[in-house]
Amino acid sequence: MNPAEAADRSAHRVPQRARVIVIGGGVIGTSVAYHLAEQGWGADIVLLERDKLTSGTTWHAAGLMVTFGSMSHTSTRLRQYTRELYARLEAETGQSTGFRPVGFLEVAADADRLEEYRRVSAFNRHCGVDVHEISPREVAELWPLARTDDLLAGFYVEQDGRANPVDVTMALAKGARQRGARLIEGVAVTSVIVEHAGTPRARVRGVRTLFADGTTAEIECEVVVNCAGMWARQLGEANGVALPLQAAEHYYLITEPIEGVHAGLPVLEDPGTYGYIREETGGLMVGLFEGVAAPWSVPAVPQDFSFGQITPDWDRMGPYVEAAMSRVPATLDAQIRTFFCGPESFTPDLAPLFGEVPEVANYYVAAGLNSIGILTGGGIGRSMAHWIVAGEPDIDITGMDVARLQPFQTTPSYRRDRTAESLGLVYACHYPNRDKATARGAKRSPVHDRLAAAGAHFRDVSGWEGADWYGETPSPETGPLTFGRPAWFAHWAAEHRAVREEVGLMDMSFMAKFLVQGRDAGAVLDHLSAGHVDVDLASGPPGRGQVTYTQWLDEAAHLRADLTVTKLDAERFWVVASDTAHRRVEAMIRRAIGFGRFADAHATVTDVTSGWAQLNVQGPRSRELLAGLTSADLSTEAFPFRAAGMIDLGFARVLCLRITYLGELGYELYVPAEHAVEVHDRIVAAGSGSGRGWQLRHVGLRSLASLRLEKAYRDYGHDIDNTDTVLEAGLGFAVALHRPDGTERDFIGRDAVARLRAAGTPASRLVQVLLRTPEPLLDHGEVVLRNGSEVGYLRAASYGHTLGGAVGLAMLTHPDGDPLTQGWLDEGTWHVDIAGRCHPATVSLRPLYDPTSSRVRA
């Protein structure tokens, strides 16, 4: 370090090195710093804020502190912890957070909102939120100024309320400083310094900073946490890190004092009129989440924008303002003191960007909070600190993992289109089958046009257009959005039955596909995999590879990925994962090659997703159909279950895997993209009008869900996640502690699996749940009761058209901590709570459909 730089450091109080650098001094950044300091890392922490603490978004946040409303266990826990933290932080630091538990009141004025909130209430109560459904009369007693003549019910949480965002941030900052952390204002981070950038060994080495006087300096560090809010995307771009989020206009108004308004009024939220209302210095704050939003500063958020405001668009916002104010008519006659517009950042799916990025090791992100930064800020900071200190997260992060999103979602066009919709959906009714309508058509399968011609209705699958179901468009009268049976229920049932009884064709080209090659490829993948994937192909049919269904674990045997690895030959492996796991799985392979024992391995990984279509032919007639299209012997003797190999199909050479995710005899066909249309057309022609008593049917992703849930097949990120051990998830059968020759395998998590097996049956296990009456529907989050007591909830569900009722997977826990066995299940009387109504159910550890998998192996 030269003398000039040393002088700059001294003048700006910037150290030469730190263990962790937190970038951003809003509520999220200060919370991360506070919780890292609480973990004992205080002296190793430096937080850098380019301007002043709270600048950006935090300073103008509305400050709602609400635990009610989420159907995510993770989000609800984050909210609960945050409320508890704000309540105790003043006693610890001497700095007020402004937290006032004045209560929170959600109102429903239509049947669908009532259904939604009853579902949410049942789930939230299971999570420990003390929410009560109250009558319109009781709403009026709590909020005398509110119009209640159109209401059906209210949902009240007495302990919720509001906090002061600036005070919260200052209290967190003070708590961090008290434990030794250094929080430095007026120092901007311009980029993260990465060693081995662009390679599997890329990792954080430090940051480059810019002072207000134009001088610069570098700070060495081991870990960076990007908490830069609406600037997080731009900071990530400097290092090739994809962080899809976009700032949008967000409005509220504040009235002059109104008679009858007092500080003890609960926070009132009425999504049906786009608004929330709370007391503000004797008047009312009326906040808005308009149905169609306005993205702000799409090219780039100005670096000098700190405590600024956006000029309000009165013409656009007028109807929304009137709708929101109509809930409290007194606001319509009150003088408006402030009509405020400021930016807040939103992600494409309204979930946060959280966790370690796939591009650079030790680069973490906590941003894109979608207007819930204050009410989850404490929990986000605590969870991020735990991840950094312990090396693994202690909450389910699958729904907010930064790696779930794709680089193309950072493009200006995508951000502009999607943000207008995503902010608007914050207050929309959350129907089970709602899909995004904007920024569509980004990725299309090579056979997309063929699927459309067959009547496909598409949905967004990580940017791909995935065929959801097939048939005519529902009429406007019935519409697709409902909590009941959708208008296309019969089409869905027919597709489901086609796979069970005859044969179906499903396009799954959106699945992530990787070719891992090299002399050490097998060793790398076998170390990652709980299942033995580097198998001896000589023991199988000549010239055939072998598919292994496996999990990738952490050192504690928690799930990190759920996928298939196919050994094609001695040095080539085909890895297939779900669309949402695409970037995370690729990063795990690359880092296995880039670090540790395999740092010098002779192995490469290539993402071949876009180069290969995936056409799945599934059902009891699938072998008969394909046998007529290929010269390959597809008999069970020559091509048994889990066999893999290249076969001819028309003019193409196709990688064929005999594997299923639907519970029937079936094949996954991986077709070079340039051959996909020709292969698709041959399959359709062979299966149409055959005169053999059966016929091929196109099948959509709605049936994928119902078929796999009947068979109790798992889906990572939906019914299993990173908080589950492989044994709790019921996947112990896929783990191999030893090779076929009896020698001990060495894979990540092996010792933990051995300990868990030795400890016996766990107290928590994933089970299949089937409703015993055909009418009710399940989605997720419904509470499961044994003998009237809550023991878990549905993580994912669909309708079992073969089993004759709604079916799903639930994680249940024995209330006494005893082993959860089938005997204990059989001894109980089971019900599922759907929006406050209990329905009888059957619960099983084994699949209720084809429990011996005889159909799969036929």
Side-chain angles (χ1 to χ4, degrees), residues 7 100 121 124 163 230 364 411 471 496 501 567 600 617 644 679 722 724 787 799 841 858:
R100 289 165 30 193
S121 294
N124 282 183
M230 58 185 169
Y364 292 83
T411 61
H496 180 109
E501 299 167 8
K567 184 173 184 178
D600 297 319
V617 181
V679 168
N722 61 280
D724 303 320
N787 298 340
Y799 194 85

Side-chain angles (χ1 to χ4, degrees), residues 67 70-80 372 375-376:
T67 58
S70 175
M71 287 292 284
S72 159
H73 185 267
T74 296
S75 181
T76 303
R77 292 296 191 210
L78 294 175
R79 295 173 183 218
Q80 290 172 305
I372 60 170
L375 61 89
T376 61

